[in-house]
């Protein structure tokens, strides 16, 4: 099972021209979000480190797919380098790490650092796992997004990514 | 007609009368039950799923009609007798209570050693080693891939030296030790045997278990090293070696726990685990071992989840299926080969981060189910395990939970007290039948290994996990404190254990010292001999033991065999 590759990073000129035309006619005063949302949110779900517990990663990957995101799942035992290289190669919007091993204070900062080095700091780094409150705060201070603990619903995680995405500058029409 | 003939005739008449009386009774029951169901249908019911956690429909009422086809002696029997539905041993907890064995390990060998001594002082009767992730994957503490993970989720053991420290002052001929390790199990087992040697304890005195169940790693927990074929060869090497040199030691614990925790239903846990067990038996037989030489030392490990009766029935069904297959299909003649002995652990996945004290209660119910299911040993989870490794205080409560069950409730007094319950017997039958269906399905895939390679087990487990998650998120399945009865604040109200970052530094330092101090030539020599043995057909255990004694590190030994065996690549999907 993989993901569909067909996804325009930039809206096809034809659609933009139609939209510009409609707007000039006063028919479409605001961007039709349905058309603009053509670009699906792309999420890399990754399991960094040596931890093999992938129940959460697989459940969240399925939930993201059901929510209409394009999901790439890395598989297990990934190094931060492997994750960032996959994120860049797949041109994702969001990198979601699942860490149940207690190594989050090593893995999240390292992935963040590598994303920055790769010029991919526009990507949202988020995730979940067994992560104590004070560590979540410390990681947020570094620039990591929300981290979800045990008992989180997949709906919450989906909503968070949607909201984040809506806040991002739309490079699609600009 | 002679007296005996007359007597026989009278007996036959008696039996016929008994049969017709019984039929009349069931007939009457059928009629009354139909009326009862009419009333039942007409009465409003709570809005609930009325299914087990595994998704099975549960009837509102069970009666003798549900067990009428059950042949008592053939299907249930007596404890300690074929097919062992009522328990593997005749006298069960009247002779010996289950072993209270708390899984523990964190930071360095010294710190874990202290925790072990603490647990033994508080009445724990066996030890169970939790290794950190690098060790589970066969990496040394100073390997680049271990960064950030040393001693965090368990204890770091990278050589015989660490293993010696782990059991410092703990006599290995007296305490039984269970080790949860799989991919590199054979290496840690050899460290353990060598550590016992250093204490002057020979292998034939060792009691305990090494998990060593690689099939469920590919299916569920994912701590693998080598591809399935060489990995299975190593396991059979251990069967052969242990049956000769360590006859009281269990060289495998065939585990459903991780399969269940990854999302499987009770029936999937039961069926996948037993099917894996059959695979090991077949591999041993294919090697030319007599089944009765190694089957008596095969042990099991099941999860105990929330659905009380389903869990009790699962243990009973497991024993019956195992006994029947070993006797029938594999021709085992030694009753020891038929006897399924198991460890149990309460379900970590049922613990909640919200209102963590509630977990004490969940664990207590699960522990009761395990004991009513007839487990031989039990680990009860601590209330704080969704947040971190458990603190000493929370481990103590978990252990006390078992002690209260053992000494205050009266539960261990009677063997298999739920036998004869229409519901429990029916559930036991249903789980057995469902397991048989799953066995057939796996056979159609070509067996366990092809099923793994195609990702079938992984997809089945992930599918069940997703179904359960949806039930919880839609509110159809209530989890107290999570999707109902929530309290405003999610604030954690308990202390959690922190692993100091210095642990990694300390381990790295120690590895540097070890590498400098050991006899480099002996290291090279033993590793070369192992490489050669691995590429031939020799049993590799004696070679790995030599490596251990020469203080080769975990990763060096892993890598030497990897040169020959290659490494496993998972089929990635979700």
């Amino acid at each position: 099972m993989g993901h569909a590759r067909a996804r325009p990073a930039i809206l096809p000129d034809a659609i933009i021209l139609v939209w510009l035309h409609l707007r000039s006619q006063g028919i479409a005063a605001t961007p039709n979000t349905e058309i603009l949302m053509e670009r699906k949110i792309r999420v890399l779900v990754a399991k960094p480190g040596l931890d093999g517990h992938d129940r959460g990663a697989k459940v969240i990957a399925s939930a993201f797919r059901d929510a209409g995101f394009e999901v790439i799942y890395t598989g297990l035992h990934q190094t931060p380098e492997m994750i960032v290289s996959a994120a860049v190669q797949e041109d994702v919007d969001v990198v979601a790490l699942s860490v149940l091993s207690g190594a989050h204070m090593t893995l999240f900062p390292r992935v963040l650092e590598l994303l920055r080095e790769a010029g991919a700091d526009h990507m949202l780094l988020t995730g979940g796992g067994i992560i104590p409150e004070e560590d979540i705060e410390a990681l947020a201070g570094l620039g990591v997004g929300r981290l979800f603990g045990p008992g989180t619903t997949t709906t919450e995680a989906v909503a968070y990514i949607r909201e984040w995405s809506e806040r991002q500058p739309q490079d699609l029409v600009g | 007609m002679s007296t005996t003939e007359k007597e026989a005739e009278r007996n036959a008449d008696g039996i016929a009368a008994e049969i017709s009386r019984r039929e009349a009774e069931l007939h009457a029951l059928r009629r009354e039950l139909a009326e009862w169901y009419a009333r039942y249908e007409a009465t409003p019911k709570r809005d609930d799923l009325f299914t087990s956690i595994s998704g099975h429909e549960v009837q509102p009422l069970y009666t003798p009609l549900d067990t009428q086809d059950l042949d008592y002696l053939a299907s249930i029997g007596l404890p300690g007798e074929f097919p062992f539905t009522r328990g593997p041993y005749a006298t069960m907890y009247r002779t010996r209570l289950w072993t209270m064995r708390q899984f523990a390990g964190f930071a360095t060998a010294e710190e874990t050693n202290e925790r072990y001594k603490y647990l033994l002082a508080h009445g724990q009767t066996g030890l169970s080693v939790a290794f950190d992730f690098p060790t589970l994957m066969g990496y040394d503490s100073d390997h680049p891939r271990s960064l950030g993970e040393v001693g965090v989720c368990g204890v770091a053991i990278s050589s015989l030296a660490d293993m010696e420290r782990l059991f410092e002052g703990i006599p290995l001929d007296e305490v039984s030790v269970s080790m949860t390790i799989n991919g590199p199990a054979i290496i840690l087992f050899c460290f353990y045997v060598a550590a016992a040697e250093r204490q002057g304890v020979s292998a034939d005195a060792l009691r305990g278990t090494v998990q060593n169940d690689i099939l469920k790693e590919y299916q569920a927990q994912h701590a693998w090293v080598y591809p399935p074929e060489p990995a299975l060869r190593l396991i059979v090497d251990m069967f052969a070696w242990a049956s000769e040199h360590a006859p009281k030691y269990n060289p495998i614990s065939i585990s459903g726990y991780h399969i269940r925790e990854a999302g499987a239903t009770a029936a999937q846990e039961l069926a996948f685990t037993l099917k894996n067990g059959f695979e090991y038996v077949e591999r041993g037989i294919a090697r030319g071992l007599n089944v009765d030489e190694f089957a008596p030392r095969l042990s099991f490990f099941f999860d105990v989840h929330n659905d009380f009766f389903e869990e009790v029935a699962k243990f009973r069904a497991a024993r019956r299926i195992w006994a029947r297959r070993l006797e029938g299909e594999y021709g085992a003649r030694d009753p020891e080969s038929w006897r399924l002995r198991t460890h149990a652990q309460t379900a970590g996945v049922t613990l909640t981060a919200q209102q963590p004290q509630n977990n004490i209660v969940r664990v207590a119910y699960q522990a009761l189910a395990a004991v009513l299911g007839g487990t031989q040993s039990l680990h009860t989870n601590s209330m704080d395990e969704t947040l971190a490794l458990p603190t000493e205080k929370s481990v103590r409560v978990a252990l006390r939970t078992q002690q209260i069950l053992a000494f205050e409730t009266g539960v261990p007094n009677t063997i298999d007290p739920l036998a004869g319950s229409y519901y429990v017997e029916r559930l036991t039958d249903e789980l057995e039948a469902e397991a048989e269906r799953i066995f057939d399905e796996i056979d159609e895939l070509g067996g366990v290994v092809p099923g793994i390679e195609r990702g079938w087990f992984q997809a089945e487990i992930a599918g069940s996990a997703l179904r359960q998650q949806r039930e919880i998120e839609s509110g159809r399945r209530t989890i107290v404190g999570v999707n109902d009865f929530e309290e405003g604040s999610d604030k954690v109200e308990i202390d959690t254990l922190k692993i100091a970052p210095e642990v990694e530094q300390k381990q790295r330092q120690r590895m540097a010292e070890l590498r400098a101090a050991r006899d480099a030539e002996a290291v090279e020599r033993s590793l070369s001999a192992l490489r050669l043995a691995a590429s031939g057909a020799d049993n590799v255990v004696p070679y790995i033991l030599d490596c251990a004694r020469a203080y080769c590190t975990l990763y060096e030994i892993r890598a030497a065999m990897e040169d020959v065996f290659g490494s496993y690549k998972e089929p990635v999907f979700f």
Side-chain angles (χ1 to χ4, degrees):
Chain A
M1 270 172 269
H3 57 280
R5 275 296 329 193
R7 183 272 317 175
I10 303 218
L11 276 183
D13 293 348
I15 296 182
I16 295 175
L17 288 175
V18 168
W19 174 64
L20 288 172
H21 171 73
L22 292 175
R23 194 176 61 168
S24 72
Q25 304 287 303
I27 297 169
T30 50
N32 180 334
T33 45
E34 293 227 338
I35 296 177
L36 294 179
M37 288 302 281
E38 181 75 15
R39 187 197 196 281
K40 286 185 172 179
I41 300 170
R42 290 172 65 79
V43 184
L44 182 78
V45 175
K47 282 290 298 177
L50 302 175
D51 160 31
H53 296 87
D54 62 356
R55 177 178 184 159
K58 284 185 169 172
V59 164
I60 201 73
S62 301
F64 286 163
R65 185 178 51 203
D66 294 349
F69 302 171
E70 291 220 28
V71 184
I72 300 107
Y73 171 56
T74 59
L76 292 163
H77 309 143
Q78 303 288 299
T79 61
E81 288 78 6
M82 290 155 93
I83 291 166
V84 170
S85 130
V88 169
Q89 203 178 335
E90 296 283 352
D91 186 25
V92 297
D93 305 299
V94 179
V95 177
L97 306 184
S98 165
V99 184
L100 286 83
S101 63
H104 47 269
M105 293 310 280
T106 307
L107 296 168
F108 277 97
R110 182 73 185 134
V111 170
L112 199 61
E113 184 189 338
L114 291 171
L115 282 173
R116 283 178 183 153
E117 279 172 20
D121 46 2
H122 58 282
M123 293 179 192
L124 169 66
L125 177 61
T126 176
I130 311 275
I131 306 171
E133 202 57 47
E134 61 266 35
D135 292 351
I136 292 180
E137 281 162 27
L139 291 169
L142 297 177
V144 174
R146 250 185 90 180
L147 298 178
F148 297 91
T152 307
T153 61
T154 56
T155 329
E156 262 176 87
V158 166
Y160 167 67
I161 289 179
R162 279 232 175 86
E163 280 159 24
W164 173 85
S165 168
E166 279 160 17
R167 285 199 313 273
Q168 298 314 298
Q170 288 291 345
D171 62 338
L172 307 180
V173 287
Chain B
M1 220 184 253
S2 72
T3 337
T4 45
E5 276 172 338
K6 271 187 203 151
E7 210 166 273
E9 197 168 290
R10 260 204 310 279
N11 279 348
D13 287 351
I15 290 168
E18 172 65 24
I19 289 171
S20 65
R21 193 188 58 78
R22 177 98 184 118
E23 268 173 7
E25 204 177 88
L26 289 176
H27 183 72
L29 176 57
R30 238 175 248 122
R31 203 179 49 236
E32 292 207 13
L33 192 61
E35 285 168 22
W36 183 89
Y37 262 104
R39 288 198 296 279
Y40 170 81
E41 296 300 342
T43 312
K45 260 84 65 184
R46 284 184 299 112
D47 179 23
D48 203 335
L49 282 175
F50 297 119
T51 59
S52 74
I53 286 171
S54 298
H56 283 272
E57 203 182 331
V58 177
Q59 299 308 316
L61 188 70
Y62 291 83
T63 69
L65 291 170
D66 291 291
T67 55
Q68 60 177 320
D69 298 328
L70 209 56
D71 178 336
Y72 181 84
L73 283 179
S75 292
I76 303 176
L78 295 175
E81 283 175 33
F82 196 87
F84 303 96
T85 311
R86 304 204 62 178
Y89 299 111
T91 54
M92 291 295 288
Y93 304 137
R94 286 214 163 202
T95 297
R96 194 175 153 194
L97 285 166
W98 63 92
T99 303
M100 299 178 193
R101 193 193 293 280
Q102 298 294 97
F103 185 45
F106 59 97
T108 61
E110 284 91 345
E111 281 150 291
T112 299
N113 176 272
E114 266 175 49
R115 174 69 70 94
Y116 290 166
K117 288 177 175 161
Y118 171 88
L119 287 167
L120 291 170
H122 278 77
Q124 175 163 307
T125 47
L127 294 176
S128 176
V129 187
F131 295 105
D132 67 358
F133 272 114
T135 309
L136 290 173
M137 293 297 294
Y139 292 110
D140 293 342
S141 295
D142 58 353
H143 191 280
R145 293 235 37 186
S146 304
L147 198 67
E149 312 217 30
V150 176
V152 176
C153 262
V155 61
I157 302 292
S158 299
S159 74
L160 168 60
D162 288 334
M163 193 66 98
E164 288 172 66
R165 279 188 279 267
L166 186 64
F167 294 110
E168 174 80 52
I170 298 172
L172 293 179
D173 49 349
E174 287 170 27
V175 176
S176 88
V177 177
S178 162
M179 297 194 290
T180 297
I181 187 88
N182 297 279
I186 195 165
I187 307 170
L188 275 296
F189 171 72
C190 289
F191 287 167
Y192 181 75
V193 171
E197 270 174 17
R198 297 283 142 105
Q199 287 191 2
V201 174
S202 72
D204 59 8
L206 295 176
R207 287 183 306 119
T209 306
V210 60
Q211 196 165 76
N212 198 27
D213 171 10
I214 199 66
L215 294 172
K216 68 92 176 54
E217 292 297 328
Y218 302 126
Q219 293 162 350
Q221 184 169 249
H222 311 321
W224 50 62
V225 178
Y226 310 114
E229 289 305 326
L232 286 163
R233 174 250 171 120
L234 293 179
I235 289 170
V236 178
D237 279 358
M238 285 176 71
F239 289 174
W241 192 88
S243 76
E244 198 179 326
H245 298 94
K248 289 190 276 185
Y249 192 88
N250 303 314
I252 195 166
S253 170
I254 305 160
S255 304
Y257 189 83
H258 321 83
I259 294 172
R260 189 66 182 281
E261 291 285 301
T265 64
Q268 286 170 330
E269 177 194 2
L270 177 68
F272 296 176
T273 309
L274 291 175
K275 191 70 178 161
N276 290 345
F278 303 149
E279 183 72 25
Y280 294 122
V281 169
E282 287 169 25
R283 298 285 175 151
I285 292 172
R287 173 72 67 89
L289 301 175
N290 178 338
V291 64
D292 288 321
E293 267 172 47
F294 66 94
R297 296 318 303 174
L298 304 180
S299 64
F300 284 81
F301 172 24
F302 287 102
D303 199 83
V304 219
H305 214 282
N306 274 338
D307 201 296
F308 191 82
F309 293 106
E310 187 171 64
E311 293 305 300
V312 175
K314 182 182 74 186
F315 283 86
R316 302 175 82 245
R319 285 191 293 268
R320 184 155 82 197
I321 298 169
W322 184 253
R324 285 179 171 167
R325 281 278 173 131
L326 266 285
E327 193 264 350
E329 185 126 356
Y330 302 117
R333 289 296 161 260
D334 182 351
E336 294 299 326
S337 302
W338 304 335
R339 219 189 287 278
L340 181 149
R341 298 163 301 123
T342 190
H343 172 63
Q345 179 172 341
T346 59
V349 79
T350 65
L351 302 179
T352 65
Q354 294 76 7
Q355 304 174 35
Q357 272 108 345
N358 296 348
N359 292 328
I360 299 174
V361 182
R362 293 190 177 96
V363 166
Y365 287 135
Q366 294 165 5
L368 176 60
V371 167
L372 290 173
T375 193
Q376 279 55 65
S377 70
L378 179 61
H379 166 104
T380 34
N381 289 326
S382 301
M383 64 172 133
D384 49 356
E385 289 189 60
T386 51
L387 306 165
L389 293 193
T391 60
E392 213 158 72
K393 195 170 140 196
S394 68
V395 172
R396 191 167 60 222
V397 173
L399 178 60
R400 296 291 182 249
T401 303
Q402 294 198 41
Q403 291 163 338
I404 291 166
L405 182 54
F407 302 110
E408 296 185 16
T409 63
V411 166
N413 289 346
T414 293
I415 300 163
D416 189 27
L418 292 183
S421 149
Y422 308 124
Y423 179 33
V424 171
E425 294 300 356
R426 178 61 188 257
L427 259 179
T428 306
D429 282 358
E430 282 175 358
L431 280 169
E432 181 177 16
E434 193 172 350
E436 293 287 348
R437 271 196 303 279
I438 297 174
F439 297 157
D440 291 344
E441 218 175 325
I442 298 166
D443 287 338
E444 277 163 31
L445 296 167
V448 173
V449 173
I452 287 166
E453 286 166 347
R454 287 167 53 175
W456 182 83
F457 291 97
Q458 299 90 313
E460 287 286 297
I461 292 168
S464 295
L466 192 59
R467 180 188 60 75
Q468 291 167 61
Q469 183 67 24
R470 286 186 176 139
E471 280 184 6
I472 293 167
E473 293 200 10
S474 66
R476 276 177 298 146
R477 175 101 40 211
T478 299
I479 308 292
V480 172
V482 174
N483 63 0
D484 206 348
F485 313 106
E486 299 112 301
E487 282 169 9
S489 148
D490 273 349
K491 263 237 159 317
V492 175
E493 312 128 44
I494 52 176
D495 303 332
T496 53
L497 182 79
K498 293 263 176 301
I499 305 299
E502 296 84 72
V503 166
E504 188 155 319
Q505 200 40 51
K506 194 167 159 192
Q507 267 298 106
R508 293 163 81 81
Q509 176 66 30
R510 185 171 271 171
M511 293 305 291
E513 286 162 16
L514 175 91
R515 289 182 205 278
R518 63 191 183 170
D519 176 352
E521 208 181 296
V523 167
E524 265 324 301
R525 205 172 40 240
S526 60
L527 288 172
S528 307
L530 171 60
R531 248 180 237 110
L532 200 63
S535 48
D538 271 10
N539 190 322
V540 293
V541 173
Y543 297 92
I544 300 176
L545 269 173
D546 282 343
C547 293
R549 293 177 188 122
Y551 292 96
C552 298
T553 69
L554 171 60
Y555 186 71
E556 286 166 344
I557 302 173
R558 169 197 150 140
M561 289 193 280
E562 213 168 355
D563 291 345
V564 180
F565 297 151
S567 51
Y568 180 65
K569 299 273 174 288
E570 63 165 332
V572 176
F573 67 92
F574 66 90

